[in-house]
Amino acid sequence: MTLDEFVKKYEGKKVDYDGYCGAQCVDLVRLYIRLVWGLPQPKNIISAYEAYTHWLRCGNGFDEISWKSLTKIARGDLVVFPPTDTNLHGHIAIVLDIADGEVLCFEQNGFTQKGAEQKRRPLDMVFGCLTLSEKRKRSLENK
């Protein structure tokens, strides 16, 4: 499945991948990791922001793009946002586009439970980014 097919299929739908706590941002990303990236599920996390550090350590095909290198973020990568005063768990979303200091995300919000949607967020709020490793990208291209 491609990113475009994933967005078309799940936009407006609630995705509760693990059946725990309703449709959260991490649920949509986990489904994306399985269907589009074809990776095994990374270890469970309590908060979305933990994906940045915990999933990198699991060695399942992720590479890091640090907040110092945000110009390298590309369509299909995962952006991680830090906790805030109003959201102690942070946020994770799928990158659709980057322009004018903003990142267009495909995401869902556990607070609103509206389902997956496209939303613009300030690029300078990104805590870090996960991308597919080069080795994994090559294996997907050869399918």
Side-chain angles (χ1 to χ4, degrees), residues 34-50:
R34 182 172 63 94
L35 296 180
V36 178
W37 284 2
L39 291 176
Q41 284 303 298
K43 91 183 220 182
N44 288 334
I45 53 175
I46 302 297
S47 297
Y49 74 89
E50 293 175 325

Side-chain angles (χ1 to χ4, degrees), residues 74-136:
R75 179 176 167 79
D77 287 343
L78 305 177
V79 283
V80 181
F81 298 88
T84 65
D85 291 341
T86 57
N87 179 357
L88 300 178
H89 297 287
H91 188 60
I92 188 167
I94 304 159
V95 175
L96 297 179
D97 190 32
I98 296 178
D100 302 321
E102 293 183 320
V103 57
L104 176 61
C105 298
F106 187 55
E107 61 179 53
Q108 68 182 10
N109 185 320
F111 292 118
T112 63
Q113 293 289 306
K114 291 190 314 187
E117 64 183 349
Q118 296 183 35
K119 184 172 182 178
R120 293 198 174 278
R121 294 188 175 270
L123 188 57
D124 63 1
M125 294 299 296
V126 172
F127 174 68
C129 179
L130 298 172
T131 190
L132 270 178
S133 67
E134 287 303 316
K135 180 180 177 182
R136 186 65 187 154

Side-chain angles (χ1 to χ4, degrees), residues 4-56:
D4 289 335
E5 292 167 337
F6 184 82
V7 171
K8 184 176 179 179
K9 182 172 183 174
Y10 292 102
E11 191 158 21
K13 296 184 177 141
K14 295 179 185 180
V15 175
D16 185 5
Y17 187 81
D18 58 9
Y20 183 73
C21 290
Q24 302 290 318
C25 57
V26 174
D27 290 305
L28 184 67
V29 168
R30 283 188 175 281
L31 187 62
Y32 173 77
I33 288 169
R34 182 172 63 94
L35 296 180
V36 178
W37 284 2
L39 291 176
Q41 284 303 298
K43 91 183 220 182
N44 288 334
I45 53 175
I46 302 297
S47 297
Y49 74 89
E50 293 175 325
Y52 185 63
T53 53
H54 288 50
W55 290 357
L56 282 171

Side-chain angles (χ1 to χ4, degrees), residues 64-75:
E64 166 188 22
I65 299 174
S66 77
W67 62 271
K68 294 177 183 177
S69 304
L70 293 180
T71 55
K72 296 179 182 178
I73 294 175
R75 179 176 167 79

